Amino acid sequence: MKLITILLGLSYCLSAQKPHLKEAVKFPLGSSVNPRLLNENEAYRNIATTEWTSLTAENHMKMMLIHPAADRFDFSKGDEIVNFATASGKRMHGHTLVWHNQVPQWMKDFQGDQKAWESLLKSHIQTVVSHYKGKIAGWDVVNESFLDDGSLRPSLWADHIPDYIAKSFQWAHESDPGAILFYNDYGQDGKPKKMQAILDLVADLKRRGIPIHGLGLQMHINVDSKRNELQEVLDKSIKTGLKIHLSELDIAVNPKNNPDFIYEEKVASAQAEQFNFVFKSYMKIPAAQQYGITFWNISDKDSWLRGYFKRPKEYPLLFDDKYAKKPAYTTLINSLHTLN
Ligand code: G3I
């Protein structure tokens, strides 16, 4: 009898242990993904399948890849990700409709008056949003429109289309009235003017009845990012009443690209604490405003910080180069258990 009780107790403990991060949180959790890795790499695919409830295309829904020629859209890779998400029961987040970066050459070369530019952007947004209508829960409609000093970033869109942000939200809403529409940006911590510009934008859009439903805070932060500044960004964002998406989370440990950097225990545990802080702060957001947390790709090896920024000794995520859970993963899941 005693043995049975012990065994029952043990099996209860084991079943109460939540083996995957997605089971340790009450909001959608995911990462951006790359369709080639989803196809070719079993470890990558397994993590996407078992650990996450939400996916974002890291690159394949951006203008350059989805709209390669004036008269041609290429939905093939975006569709692959959406099909994978649908087959594995995950939410799909759309990234991104309007950005100054990753714009195809034909758009850069485009000549036309304001009306022609508006028609180009409207048709881009409406074709992409309509294609994914009902399959994509929310869209980063406009990405990174403000500079650190709070001014509007010069771009093809800002230069040719007055009020392009509001128009983009309206066009996206017309194409899928059910989609949750986000303004997405990075580096608001310690940049009060940039943060204020975003808050002013939200207030202005709301006042004019333009549909905006969420704020994406990218959260490309580092191990030394100041917590009081991160908390202030969250607090101000929550006050808008919009949904909050931590949309591109990673925590750099070697931001200055020191070639002799060693990822030793001390820095790994400081990074784990920083992940804990981000999750704990996010869990204090009212549930109705929690759209979710998205990591920017899956393993350290896949991170844009290594590829795009050419920082070979960077380790910003929860899975290592061999797709094994890092100590930060274990620290995080254990701390989430105590909070839930
Ligand atoms: O696929 C091509 C390949 O065919 C070519 O040979 C190679 C040569 O450079 O480039 C490959 O494309 C690269 C692409 O990533 C796919 O790996 C581009 O050069 C590279 O510029 C691109 O970088 C992406 C970056 O956005 C572009 O600005 C990163 O993967 C992506 O993680 C990053 O994501 C952005 C978010 O969308 C917005 N927030 C910031 C975040 C980081 O920059």
Side-chain angles (χ1 to χ4, degrees):
M1 185 63 194
K2 212 170 170 189
L3 184 65
I4 291 176
T5 316
I6 291 170
L7 286 175
L8 278 176
L10 191 64
S11 93
Y12 173 78
C13 282
L14 288 176
S15 67
Q17 275 292 328
K18 293 169 181 161
H20 302 115
L21 267 183
K22 70 180 180 194
E23 287 136 19
V25 294
K26 294 183 177 132
F27 46 80
L29 183 72
S31 76
S32 66
V33 287
N34 170 316
R36 185 181 54 78
L37 290 171
L38 271 183
N39 259 322
E40 292 173 0
N41 184 325
E42 194 184 351
Y44 186 93
R45 191 167 55 245
N46 281 344
I47 293 173
T49 307
T50 57
E51 297 286 345
W52 308 147
T53 48
S54 177
L55 296 177
T56 302
E58 183 180 14
N59 285 302
H60 287 85
M61 292 187 186
K62 295 172 181 171
M63 283 171 161
M64 182 188 254
L65 296 179
I66 214 166
H67 199 171
D71 57 355
R72 190 165 68 85
F73 284 83
D74 179 357
F75 293 113
S76 56
K77 296 290 164 192
D79 287 358
E80 272 182 34
I81 302 174
V82 170
N83 291 340
F84 176 84
T86 310
S88 53
K90 301 192 195 311
R91 178 184 74 180
M92 192 69 211
H93 178 71
H95 175 83
T96 173
L97 296 169
V98 186
W99 193 23
H100 63 277
N101 210 342
Q102 283 179 294
V103 172
Q105 192 58 42
W106 73 266
M107 281 189 192
K108 293 184 189 161
D109 295 339
F110 184 77
Q111 301 283 331
D113 59 10
Q114 185 188 318
K115 219 171 134 221
W117 275 99
E118 287 197 10
S119 149
L120 183 164
L121 187 60
K122 180 177 180 183
S123 134
H124 172 82
I125 292 174
Q126 298 210 321
T127 307
V128 175
V129 176
S130 303
H131 179 83
Y132 289 114
K133 186 176 179 187
K135 294 183 177 163
I136 283 198
W139 275 104
D140 292 333
V141 178
V142 180
N143 195 38
E144 303 175 6
S145 284
F146 296 105
L147 297 174
D148 289 354
D149 67 2
S151 61
L152 195 64
R153 181 193 295 277
S155 70
L156 276 187
W157 319 115
D159 296 349
H160 294 103
I161 308 176
D163 207 18
Y164 81 96
I165 302 180
K167 287 173 183 154
S168 299
F169 275 88
Q170 248 159 346
W171 293 327
H173 185 67
E174 282 165 21
S175 295
D176 186 355
I180 303 169
L181 303 183
F182 286 82
Y183 174 77
N184 192 48
D185 214 327
Y186 67 93
Q188 299 89 340
D189 49 311
K191 315 259 174 50
K193 288 186 178 156
K194 183 174 203 173
M195 186 68 218
Q196 194 54 48
I198 295 170
L199 297 174
D200 291 346
L201 168 74
V202 171
D204 178 57
L205 294 182
K206 281 185 170 179
R207 188 178 47 75
R208 293 157 65 196
I210 311 277
I212 176 167
H213 314 111
L215 274 185
L217 309 173
Q218 293 183 11
M219 287 278 167
H220 293 295
I221 60 175
N222 68 63
V223 75
D224 296 321
S225 296
K226 296 196 178 82
R227 295 192 187 158
N228 61 327
E229 292 178 350
L230 293 169
Q231 190 61 55
E232 198 177 323
V233 168
L234 274 173
D235 291 343
K236 287 181 172 168
S237 301
I238 295 165
K239 278 199 190 126
T240 62
L242 299 181
K243 290 191 186 293
I244 310 298
H245 183 199
L246 305 189
S247 55
E248 305 183 14
L249 175 62
D250 48 28
I251 302 184
V253 286
N254 184 17
K256 296 202 173 124
N257 198 11
N258 171 5
D260 303 321
F261 180 81
I262 296 173
Y263 189 39
E264 57 194 13
E265 210 263 319
K266 199 169 152 215
V267 70
S269 84
Q271 183 192 37
E273 284 312 311
Q274 197 77 310
F275 273 119
N276 283 0
F277 166 77
V278 170
F279 271 73
K280 270 187 201 167
S281 304
Y282 191 77
M283 286 160 91
K284 291 185 195 137
I285 296 179
Q289 283 179 266
Q290 291 175 339
Y291 182 79
I293 298 185
T294 298
F295 293 93
W296 208 237
N297 223 317
I298 292 182
S299 85
D300 288 342
K301 192 165 73 172
D302 314 315
S303 167
W304 71 295
L305 296 174
R306 287 216 190 155
Y308 185 74
F309 269 135
K310 308 213 172 10
R311 272 158 48 189
K313 295 194 173 167
E314 186 52 87
Y315 309 86
L317 293 164
L318 293 182
F319 296 89
D320 71 14
D321 285 37
K322 294 189 171 138
Y323 294 94
K325 293 170 182 171
K326 287 165 57 177
Y329 176 103
T330 314
T331 309
L332 180 62
I333 201 164
N334 288 341
S335 99
L336 293 174
H337 287 144
T338 60
L339 288 171
N340 270 326

